[in-house]
Each structure stands twice: as C-alpha cells, then as structure tokens.
C-alpha cells in the first residue's frame, strides 16, 4: 500500500504574539490570568512607566515567552493604573513577576534578572504546572479526538484513514509525539520503512519512550539489518549444505522476520540455540528478545516464541 502524498507536515508556525503576551487590568485579571492559567502557566509582570528596571526586564520576559511557543504566557499589568491586584498580593516594589498555574499563584521573583534566569524560572514553572484538561470544542480536544480516531483506524487496518488523521494532527502540532509514532507505525505497516524512519526521527527526544515507540524503533532496526543480508533461498541452501552454519541460520531468522514470517524467524533462532547456546555470546537469544520487543508482548509469534524459548531453557 502506498501512502505517498497523504502527509504534508508544515514547519511549525510561531504562535501570534497577541495570544502569548497581553496587557491586562484589575477587572480582567480573573479571565486573563486565573482562568487562562488553567490552560497554560501565566507569568504576570507588574510594572510602571517610571520604573527603569521594569524596562530592562520586560524584553527578557517577552523573548522567553515567545521562545516557549505557547507553553507559557505573559500578562503585563501597569500598577499605576491597576493597583488592586498588586495590593492584594502585597507587592511593595517593582518589577515583580508572579507565576500562576492551575488557577493559583505558584512562584514569584522580584527585580530585574538576566534573560538566562528568566528562562530557568519559566522552565521551572512549566515543568511544575498541572496538566490542563482540554476545553470542550477547543483545538486541544479536537487533536485528542483525531489522535484517538487515528489509533482506532490503524488498529482496524484502515491505513489510509489512519494516515490522514495523523497527518491532520501533525499539521496543527508538528512535534506531536503520539501522531509521529502513529504515522511511523502506519508507514511501517504499509511497507514504507524509509518514511517510517523519517517520522520516528522527528519524535522529540523526551518523548522517545513507551511500548509503541520502542516496538517501532526495534522493527525498523531489524528491517535495516535484513536489507544488508542475502536472500532467504541462498541462506537456506547454505544450511542444507551445512546445518551447523550458525551465521546463516541467524541471518535467515532476520530475513524471515523482515518478510513477516515471525514464527519461522523465532523457530530459526531457537534451533540455533539448541545447536549452540553459546554461539556469538548468546547472540541468538539476544536477537530473539529483540524480535519480541519489535512484535509486542501480545503478538501470537511473541507468545509462541517465548514458549519455545522456555521449553529450551528449562527442559
């Protein structure tokens, strides 16, 4: 099945500055800060036009906020015009920056600090913020629903539909780990390993974890190994001539796996172990465990392979 042209992943677009940085008032504080912090952390910069250190700090705040591309926002409040909230928070000197997350203040700092310290402060607030539940009808909810539908389509074998849905998610969030792993699995299932590897390589480093990522990465590694080996018929001919040609039997297992003949691949490695358990520093068992990782714990070949391995090891 060819999925070429289904996915068109654009470069990430910077979020509009107006969405990330805004001026606010005492009256709008609840909506702009308290309610908004339920979706993403908000830094509140209390400042005044006469404050020199404020003019030094604000550009650093704005630069860091724009760098974070929506993970945190900035609200600026002129305390000369809006003294109410500042008074409630007990602010006696400016600049003063309060961080809100989950509808409440979580941290603060006073004075003009360097850009690097602003960045560390923002990273700390982002890392400690509670996960936000997507609003009904929001883009976050639509992305979540699209990803769920894509996963269901993949499970049902509808690769075209899965690819379209994952692609829709990636158009809005180009580094969405779930969609990238999903489209990699879809390309892999459609026998397009190069495109699968390209998608998997885009998964952000911190998100390279979990069973789906590990299985997809392992499967692609095994396919790359098989591409460097001889054809199955040639390897079988070598084994007919010399049944103790362990390297050929090992290579045949890798090739059979690439062909989708998983049980035959497992049986070849178990037979190699039966003939010479110590060969290549227990290489046959280690490769069999790689197969299990790539196939997944519930795959019939994994279950059968584990039974064969247990019978050999404990007989």
């Amino acid at each position: 099945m060819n999925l070429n042209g289904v996915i068109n992943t654009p470069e990430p677009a910077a979020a509009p500055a107006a969405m990330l940085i805004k001026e606010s008032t005492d009256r709008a504080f609840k909506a702009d800060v308290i309610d908004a912090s339920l979706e993403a952390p908000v830094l509140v910069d209390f400042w005044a036009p006469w404050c020199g250190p404020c003019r030094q700090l604000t550009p650093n705040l704005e630069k860091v906020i724009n760098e974070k591309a929506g993970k945190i926002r900035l609200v600026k409040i002129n305390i000369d015009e809006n003294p109410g909230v500042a008074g409630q928070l007990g602010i006696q000197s400016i600049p003063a920056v309060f961080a809100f997350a989950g509808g409440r203040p979580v941290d603060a700092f006073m004075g003009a600090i360097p850009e690097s310290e602003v960045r560390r402060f923002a990273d700390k607030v982002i890392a400690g913020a509670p996960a936000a539940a997507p609003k009904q009808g929001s883009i976050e909810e639509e992305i979540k629903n699209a990803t769920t539908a894509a996963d269901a389509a993949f499970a049902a074998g509808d690769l075209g539909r899965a690819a379209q849905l994952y692609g829709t998610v990636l158009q809005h969030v180009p580094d969405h780990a779930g969609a990238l792993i999903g489209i990699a699995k879809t390309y892999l299932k459609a026998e397009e390993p190069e495109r699968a590897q390209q998608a998997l390589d885009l998964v952000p480093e911190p998100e390279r974890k979990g069973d789906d990522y590990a299985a997809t990465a392992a499967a692609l590694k095994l396919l790359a190994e098989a591409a460097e080996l001889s054809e199955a018929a040639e390897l079988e001919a070598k084994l007919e001539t010399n049944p103790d040609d362990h390297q050929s039997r090992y290579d045949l297992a890798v090739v059979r796996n690439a062909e989708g003949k998983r049980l035959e691949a497992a049986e070849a490695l178990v037979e190699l172990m039966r003939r010479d358990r110590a060969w290549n520093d227990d290489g046959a068992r280690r490769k069999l465990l790689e197969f299990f990782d790539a196939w997944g714990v519930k795959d019939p070949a994994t279950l059968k392979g584990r039974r064969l391995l247990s019978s050999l090891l404990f007989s």
Side-chain angles (χ1 to χ4, degrees), residues 1-9 154 158-160 162-164 166-167 170 179-200 202 216 219-220 223:
M1 179 178 179
N2 193 319
L3 299 179
N4 285 335
V6 170
I7 301 300
N8 178 23
T9 306
F154 177 83
D158 189 349
L159 301 187
Q164 290 174 344
Y166 287 131
L170 292 171
L180 286 168
I181 295 170
I183 196 62
K185 290 167 53 183
T186 304
Y187 280 132
L188 186 60
K189 190 75 171 179
E191 301 181 2
E192 296 187 49
E194 290 185 4
R195 294 177 69 85
Q197 187 65 64
Q198 290 171 0
L200 204 65
L202 294 174
T216 306
L220 287 168
L223 286 177

Side-chain angles (χ1 to χ4, degrees), residues 97-295:
V97 176
F98 279 69
F100 286 74
R104 62 186 182 86
V106 294
D107 207 343
F109 69 83
M110 308 295 166
I113 63 176
E115 178 187 318
S116 59
E117 292 187 30
V118 172
R119 188 172 290 105
R120 281 195 291 270
F121 182 81
D123 287 338
K124 177 184 175 184
V125 172
I126 292 168
K135 286 185 176 181
Q136 186 173 4
S138 67
I139 185 65
E140 291 85 359
E141 185 184 43
E142 290 180 13
I143 287 171
K144 179 181 178 182
N145 291 341
T147 305
T148 301
D151 292 342
F154 177 83
D158 189 349
L159 301 187
R161 174 67 173 161
Q164 290 174 344
L165 289 167
Y166 287 131
T168 298
V169 173
L170 292 171
Q171 286 175 353
H172 290 88
V173 187
D175 64 348
H176 191 288
L180 286 168
I181 295 170
I183 196 62
K185 290 167 53 183
T186 304
Y187 280 132
L188 186 60
K189 190 75 171 179
E191 301 181 2
E192 296 187 49
E194 290 185 4
R195 294 177 69 85
Q197 187 65 64
Q198 290 171 0
L200 204 65
D201 289 344
L202 294 174
V203 176
E205 196 73 37
E207 303 296 331
R208 297 183 180 186
K209 56 189 177 182
D211 292 342
D212 278 352
Y213 178 84
T216 306
L220 287 168
K221 176 178 177 292
L222 291 168
L223 286 177
E225 286 183 28
E228 303 295 324
L229 301 176
S230 302
E231 297 289 334
E234 181 180 340
L235 295 168
E236 288 178 330
K238 290 182 178 181
L239 287 170
E240 287 181 9
T241 302
N242 178 15
D244 286 327
D245 182 348
H246 299 328
Q247 185 64 57
S248 291
R249 195 177 299 278
Y250 178 93
D251 290 350
L252 180 61
V254 175
V255 171
R256 288 302 189 204
N257 172 66
E259 294 174 341
K261 299 176 180 178
R262 294 179 172 180
L263 187 54
E264 290 184 27
E267 289 172 340
L269 290 176
V270 172
E271 175 61 18
L272 195 164
M273 292 175 65
R274 187 184 69 77
R275 290 174 177 271
D276 187 350
R277 171 66 188 276
W279 178 80
N280 197 23
D281 194 22
D282 202 17
R285 185 185 65 85
R286 289 186 285 109
K287 181 58 66 177
L288 187 57
L289 295 180
E290 282 187 43
F291 285 172
F292 295 161
D293 287 341
W295 300 342

Side-chain angles (χ1 to χ4, degrees), residues 44-61 74-79 86 90-98 108-114 118:
V44 184
D45 177 19
F46 293 96
W47 69 286
W50 46 264
C51 171
C54 296
R55 291 193 295 273
Q56 296 173 9
L57 176 64
T58 297
N60 292 336
L61 287 169
L74 175 64
V75 169
K76 298 186 287 186
I77 295 183
N78 180 343
I79 65 168
I91 294 173
Q92 297 181 347
S93 65
I94 55 173
V97 176
F98 279 69
F109 69 83
M110 308 295 166
I113 63 176
V118 172

Side-chain angles (χ1 to χ4, degrees), residues 14-77:
M19 295 177 59
L20 304 180
I21 302 172
K22 67 187 303 184
E23 300 276 355
S24 188
T25 64
D26 286 342
R27 180 175 295 181
F29 188 84
K30 182 179 184 301
D32 290 345
V33 177
I34 303 299
D35 295 344
S37 74
L38 298 173
E39 300 176 13
V42 178
L43 299 187
V44 184
D45 177 19
F46 293 96
W47 69 286
W50 46 264
C51 171
C54 296
R55 291 193 295 273
Q56 296 173 9
L57 176 64
T58 297
N60 292 336
L61 287 169
E62 293 180 348
K63 181 177 180 181
V64 170
I65 292 298
N66 283 316
E67 282 179 3
K68 299 306 177 183
K71 294 180 181 179
I72 192 167
R73 302 171 188 173
L74 175 64
V75 169
K76 298 186 287 186
I77 295 183

Side-chain angles (χ1 to χ4, degrees), residues 77-92:
I77 295 183
N78 180 343
I79 65 168
D80 283 353
E81 298 176 355
N82 301 278
V85 173
Q88 293 173 13
L89 292 173
I91 294 173
Q92 297 181 347

